[in-house]
Amino acid sequence: MLKRGEEMQRDLWTSLLLVWITCVPYSSMALLNNQSQSLQMVSAMIPRNRPSEGQRILSRAKRGWVWNQMFVLEEFSGPDPILVGRLHTDLDMGNKNIKYVLAGEGAGTIFAINERTGDIHAMKRLDREEKAEYTLTAQVIDRDTDKPLEPPSEFIIKVQDINDNPPQFIEGPYKGSVPEMSQVGTSVTRVTATDADDPVYGNSAKLVYSILEGQPYFSIDQTTAIIRVALAGMDREMREEYLVVIQAKDMGGHMGGLSGTTTVTVTLTDINDNPPKFTKGSFEFTIPEDLGIGKPGGRVKANDRDIGENAKSAYSIIGGDERDIFEIVTDAQTQEGILRLKKPLDFESKKSYNLTVVATNIRADSITGGPYMDQTMVKIIVEDADEPPVFTKSTYLFDVHENAAINTVIGAVAARDQDATHSQVRYFIDRHTDLERQFNINVDDGKITLAKPLDRETDMWHNITVTATEVRNHSQISRATVAIKVLDINDNAPEFASEYEAFLCENGKPGQVIQTISAVDKDNPSQGHMFHYRLEMLNNPNFTIKNNLGKCIYTNFFPTPPNYISIILVPLFCY
């Protein structure tokens, strides 16, 4: 009995595992042998519709059976558990002591095994995208003793994919841009869709791209999903933005496939394909002649249908400004050309100007060439301004003798209103410059007269300001400086330079110099001062003056008491 049991055990270890796999047409039945195992596995794929009894062992697959793998169709939701496969050992010859057990991932919860027949069923609805395969272990044990009759055999149940996931554009919606006027075939952008189905099984994840909306402007490569320009001459100024709807369909685009869509907003970027255009064929401005240098006198505008840098223009004057009176600069904010003065205007010499102004695009485009430009005519009318009178001189110089009589005419100033109206002018002295009211002026003819006596020795110069005012507009005032020089006359007697007191010793010798004297005169003769001196003591022979021009007093005798004597010396001015 023992010998027979050992032989049976040896036969068990050397038995073969036979696997029967029934596949869809164009697949063949394969018998796979394993010398180390006697466990046989049969895998069956169950269709979505409730299978008949004879269909439960069929397996729908597009590939051959792989040893130690079983397959189960995902998302099957029939009323009965789905048969995954069957385990069988050649020990099972109707022996009721044989028991099949299952362990591993999902054993007892997701997968159940019939311990008598070895049938494995999926108890729950499976999703390949959640878990694609399960690793389990099958074993045959003695029902009575729970002892293994064979070593455990590991196998994998793979969840077979069905097309239950539509393509998705994870990064959408998309934005793309392309320069306007681009050639047909120019790449815009690329979109990408993903499909959670198995990319290596069937066509469930094979995507084909197409455009649902956006023709005839754009096309898409059905494989690479690159969007390209399909229509030539697309003009941003006519239409700037396009909404393109892209579809991705699985199953290679065939009927029955699932699809997903996304949108692509395509913006045409600007190129410099439009010239600047002045808003008017000609402009006219009226500018007062007293407009300050650098002040704006008018604005012109050239519009450009382009945008950004392509719309910016520079303005220039190319004609009509021979005297270089004007300049034109660009306002960076408004893109207007601002006319400004470089030199003063003079209504009396030129009353109008006709300028030719050009607006030129700053940037040239590599596609369209350029730069583009436009020109216009600008007429400037100079408006006569009410300007103050103009003196014939800015400074006048007059002279007058200090003994001139009151109301003596010293000189005259003259001013003229150069405006077209030629208003009469009235003259006045600014009394802040003539506080003593030394002078008067005739309001009509500008003659300056003496109002008070002059004294050269007190004030040699008088500087006064004379104003000229228009009769019809007192606010128009101009000013001129008048310098009056007072001329000298001999109206002052000589004076000794200081008080002299001379002393003479009693032993003084004849001819001895007692004192040297000098005199001064407030007047100012052109040849300088020359004085003649004489003694008032005409009958005194003891003193005399020698070297009169040298102003020396000499003694003629040896003096006797009294010890001093007074001498009156009179200096006389000599011409």
Side-chain angles (χ1 to χ4, degrees):
M1 185 74 176
L2 179 62
K3 183 176 179 181
R4 183 180 177 183
E6 291 176 351
E7 289 175 354
M8 290 178 65
Q9 185 74 21
R10 185 168 54 250
D11 291 339
L12 287 173
W13 288 107
T14 59
S15 63
L16 300 175
L17 178 62
L18 300 177
V19 179
W20 297 91
I21 302 174
T22 304
C23 301
V24 295
Y26 69 77
S27 296
S28 60
M29 180 179 298
L31 177 65
L32 303 177
N33 298 324
N34 190 324
Q35 298 297 328
S36 63
Q37 299 183 3
S38 62
L39 189 63
Q40 297 175 342
M41 287 185 265
V42 178
S43 175
M45 302 304 299
I46 307 300
R48 287 189 179 274
N49 296 328
R50 184 174 181 180
S52 64
E53 197 64 32
Q55 291 175 324
R56 291 197 175 185
I57 61 173
L58 297 179
S59 175
R60 291 177 59 86
K62 288 189 177 182
R63 51 192 166 184
W65 175 254
V66 179
W67 169 244
N68 77 348
Q69 289 185 356
M70 291 186 180
F71 295 89
V72 59
L73 199 65
E74 68 168 331
E75 304 292 351
F76 182 78
S77 57
D80 299 324
I82 181 174
L83 177 63
V84 178
R86 175 175 298 169
L87 299 178
H88 185 76
T89 176
D90 56 2
L91 296 177
D92 188 0
M93 300 295 185
N95 189 350
K96 297 182 179 180
N97 289 331
I98 298 298
K99 180 180 180 180
Y100 295 93
V101 295
L102 192 67
E105 295 179 325
T109 57
I110 299 176
F111 302 102
I113 190 169
N114 187 314
E115 62 182 18
R116 292 186 178 277
T117 64
D119 291 344
I120 299 175
H121 289 84
M123 308 302 294
K124 294 182 178 181
R125 181 177 178 176
L126 300 178
D127 186 358
R128 188 198 67 84
E129 286 70 43
E130 290 184 7
K131 188 171 178 62
E133 62 182 39
Y134 298 83
T135 301
L136 297 103
T137 302
Q139 195 170 24
V140 178
I141 63 174
D142 188 286
R143 182 180 298 276
D144 297 329
T145 63
D146 288 336
K147 291 184 178 179
L149 301 178
E150 290 180 337
S153 177
E154 184 179 274
F155 65 97
I156 295 174
I157 298 179
K158 287 194 173 185
V159 182
Q160 194 169 24
D161 184 49
I162 64 172
N163 188 21
D164 60 340
N165 290 279
Q168 293 183 338
F169 292 90
I170 304 301
E171 298 178 359
Y174 295 84
K175 291 184 178 181
S177 62
V178 65
E180 61 175 329
M181 299 297 176
S182 293
Q183 296 180 354
V184 173
T186 302
S187 174
V188 178
T189 187
R190 181 179 183 178
V191 298
T192 302
T194 59
D195 195 313
D197 292 323
D198 190 351
V200 298
Y201 176 75
N203 292 325
S204 296
K206 184 178 181 181
L207 304 181
V208 172
Y209 296 89
S210 61
I211 287 185
L212 299 183
E213 295 181 22
Q215 300 95 343
Y217 309 104
F218 301 97
S219 63
I220 188 169
D221 187 292
Q222 65 175 6
T223 303
T224 63
I226 297 177
I227 300 173
R228 302 181 185 275
V229 173
L231 184 64
M234 294 171 62
D235 190 357
R236 185 200 67 83
E237 288 72 36
M238 297 296 294
R239 182 177 177 184
E240 184 174 3
E241 193 172 273
Y242 296 81
L243 185 65
V244 181
V245 179
I246 302 297
Q247 181 189 71
K249 190 173 183 180
D250 60 17
M251 297 300 291
H254 295 150
M255 183 177 299
L258 303 178
S259 63
T261 61
T262 189
T263 58
V264 183
T265 302
V266 180
T267 302
L268 298 184
T269 58
D270 187 57
I271 65 173
N272 188 16
D273 60 338
N274 290 280
K277 187 69 176 177
F278 280 103
T279 56
K280 295 189 293 185
S282 63
F283 295 81
E284 183 174 305
F285 304 106
T286 299
I287 302 177
E289 64 173 325
D290 59 353
L291 184 69
I293 302 299
K295 299 295 183 180
R299 290 172 176 257
V300 298
K301 179 66 181 295
N303 293 323
D304 195 315
R305 297 178 65 194
D306 297 319
I307 59 175
E309 293 295 321
N310 293 328
K312 292 183 178 180
S313 295
Y315 297 87
S316 59
I317 300 172
I318 63 172
D321 191 25
E322 295 81 6
R323 296 169 58 188
D324 199 24
I325 300 293
F326 301 94
E327 66 178 355
I328 189 167
V329 296
T330 303
D331 187 323
Q333 300 298 323
T334 65
Q335 286 298 299
E336 293 176 302
I338 305 174
L339 280 167
R340 300 191 308 193
L341 279 183
K342 293 175 63 179
K343 295 179 181 179
L345 294 172
D346 185 12
F347 172 81
E348 287 69 32
S349 62
K350 191 172 179 61
K351 296 178 174 58
S352 66
Y353 297 85
N354 291 296
L355 309 178
T356 303
V357 175
V358 170
T360 306
N361 277 160
I362 296 175
R363 173 182 289 182
D365 195 276
S366 58
I367 298 177
T368 60
Y372 298 112
M373 63 179 61
D374 190 25
Q375 73 177 39
T376 188
M377 298 300 298
V378 178
K379 183 176 183 179
I380 297 175
I381 299 173
V382 181
E383 183 179 50
D384 187 23
D386 192 5
E387 299 174 294
V390 178
F391 280 97
T392 57
K393 297 180 181 179
S394 60
T395 301
Y396 293 86
L397 178 61
F398 302 127
D399 56 49
V400 60
H401 286 91
E402 60 181 321
N403 63 344
I406 301 302
N407 294 326
T408 298
V409 176
I410 300 172
V413 297
R416 181 177 178 271
D417 180 18
Q418 295 185 341
D419 297 325
T421 56
H422 297 301
S423 174
Q424 289 184 328
V425 177
R426 294 290 183 263
Y427 302 94
F428 303 92
I429 293 176
D430 185 350
R431 292 303 178 182
H432 292 90
T433 62
D434 185 27
L435 297 176
E436 300 296 330
R437 293 185 174 271
Q438 192 78 54
F439 308 95
N440 289 324
I441 191 168
N442 188 302
V443 296
D444 294 320
D445 59 17
K447 290 182 179 179
I448 300 173
T449 57
L450 186 63
K452 291 182 179 180
L454 298 171
D455 183 8
R456 188 201 68 84
E457 286 70 40
T458 301
D459 290 303
M460 183 181 297
W461 287 93
H462 295 270
N463 294 301
I464 63 175
T465 299
V466 175
T467 63
T469 305
E470 290 184 8
V471 172
R472 65 180 180 85
N473 187 353
H474 293 172
S475 65
Q476 296 297 331
I477 301 173
S478 57
R479 290 172 172 80
T481 301
V482 179
I484 300 174
K485 180 180 181 181
V486 181
L487 301 178
D488 185 43
I489 63 170
N490 189 14
D491 59 345
N492 291 280
E495 298 176 357
F496 285 108
S498 63
E499 294 185 3
Y500 295 98
E501 185 177 6
F503 299 90
L504 177 64
C505 296
E506 61 180 343
N507 60 351
K509 297 180 181 180
Q512 182 179 341
V513 176
I514 301 173
Q515 180 71 50
T516 301
I517 60 177
S518 63
V520 294
D521 194 316
K522 292 180 180 180
D523 295 320
N524 187 24
S526 58
Q527 300 299 323
H529 291 296
M530 296 182 63
F531 299 105
H532 177 76
Y533 301 86
R534 67 181 177 82
L535 295 172
E536 289 292 332
M537 299 173 62
L538 298 176
N539 297 322
N540 191 337
N542 294 319
F543 300 93
T544 185
I545 294 177
K546 291 186 177 180
N547 190 15
N548 194 288
L549 297 178
K551 303 173 290 294
C552 295
I553 301 175
Y554 295 87
T555 60
N556 293 330
F557 69 102
F558 291 100
T560 57
N563 294 330
Y564 64 90
I565 186 171
S566 296
I567 301 175
I568 298 174
L569 185 64
V570 179
L572 299 175
F573 181 74
C574 299
Y575 291 99

